[in-house]
Amino acid sequence: MTSKPFGQLLSIPPRNGLTKPKKVRGHGFKMVNMGELFKYSRINNIPMDRVPLTPKEQASSLLEAGDLLFARQSLVRDGAGKCSIFLGDSEPVCFESHIIRCRLDKMAHNPLFYYYYFSSPEGKVLMDTIIEQGAGAAGIRGSDLVNLIVPEFTLSFQNHVASILDAVDSKIQLSHQINQTFEQMAQAIFKS
């Protein structure tokens, strides 16, 4: 294992998302907002607001599967720097301005591994070193994020760890869905 600045693991520079006022929302492309970022750690085919995008915005602000999304700001310190991963969608998706997108070089780094790293206690302690507390909100800057020194393991090790943790998360998600189905069935039986 070696260590290096997080920015050296990226294939493109980090980017903040787009600002789209409420009056233009309702049609167009799906947009990950802070609500989705905090509700879903693994973002995949979920309902979202829709916004119009120019061709230039489409070229720079659409997400790819494996993109890491970091909360730039939060009302509480623990929320600043929260990491989620975009796993894909059936249609193009962009992201809003309070989110930093980081796209890893997938030939050398597994995005799921680094999602789990930043979600771990060690990753959260590291993130805490760049959180700035202001009046009423806490936040991070992309320029500080790319300078965080993170561990770098072989790709085979990253893939192995990520596959185990992903399998566990998938089983937890399936169990949650089964529980919701049973609750809905019980409510329907109770009502009848």
Side-chain angles (χ1 to χ4, degrees):
M1 177 194 79
T2 60
S3 297
K4 63 171 53 173
F6 182 57
Q8 291 183 15
L9 280 54
L10 305 179
S11 62
I12 59 175
R15 181 173 181 83
N16 295 345
L18 303 168
T19 301
K20 293 289 181 175
K22 291 218 181 274
K23 65 182 178 184
V24 303
R25 296 186 182 212
H27 69 281
F29 293 83
K30 291 171 91 174
M31 175 183 258
V32 177
N33 290 292
M34 293 296 282
E36 289 86 28
L37 184 82
F38 284 112
K39 187 173 182 182
Y40 304 97
S41 292
R42 296 156 38 106
I43 299 170
N44 183 14
N45 286 313
I46 59 173
M48 300 177 209
D49 277 351
R50 291 185 176 274
V51 298
L53 296 181
T54 65
K56 183 178 179 182
E57 290 171 332
Q58 291 176 46
S60 64
S61 299
L62 291 180
L63 295 172
E64 290 183 8
D67 283 349
L68 298 181
L69 305 175
F70 294 89
R72 274 191 335 126
Q73 295 177 322
S74 176
L75 297 175
V76 294
R77 186 176 180 92
D78 288 345
K82 184 214 185 278
C83 181
S84 291
I85 186 167
F86 180 72
L87 297 174
D89 202 285
S90 57
E91 59 185 286
V93 178
C94 64
F95 60 108
E96 66 107 3
S97 63
H98 291 94
I99 296 173
I100 302 169
R101 176 193 66 199
C102 292
R103 184 170 293 155
L104 277 74
D105 172 5
K106 295 176 192 156
M107 298 297 289
H109 305 98
N110 185 317
L112 264 176
F113 177 85
Y114 284 95
Y115 155 71
Y116 287 117
Y117 172 76
F118 282 112
S119 301
S120 74
E122 181 180 332
K124 290 178 181 180
V125 167
L126 181 65
M127 187 64 68
D128 193 60
T129 64
I130 64 168
I131 295 174
E132 295 179 357
Q133 185 71 48
I140 65 168
R141 289 191 299 258
S143 58
D144 294 330
L145 179 61
V146 295
N147 289 319
L148 287 176
I149 304 300
V150 297
E152 184 182 40
F153 296 91
T154 64
L155 184 58
S156 61
F157 178 80
Q158 292 175 44
N159 291 340
H160 179 70
V161 170
S163 68
I164 292 169
L165 294 175
D166 185 46
V168 170
D169 267 353
S170 295
K171 287 182 187 222
I172 291 170
Q173 185 177 9
L174 179 61
S175 293
H176 182 67
Q177 290 170 345
I178 290 170
N179 285 342
Q180 285 182 327
T181 301
F182 284 145
E183 285 179 24
Q184 291 170 352
M185 290 169 59
Q187 288 176 4
I189 291 170
F190 180 74
K191 285 179 183 178
S192 69

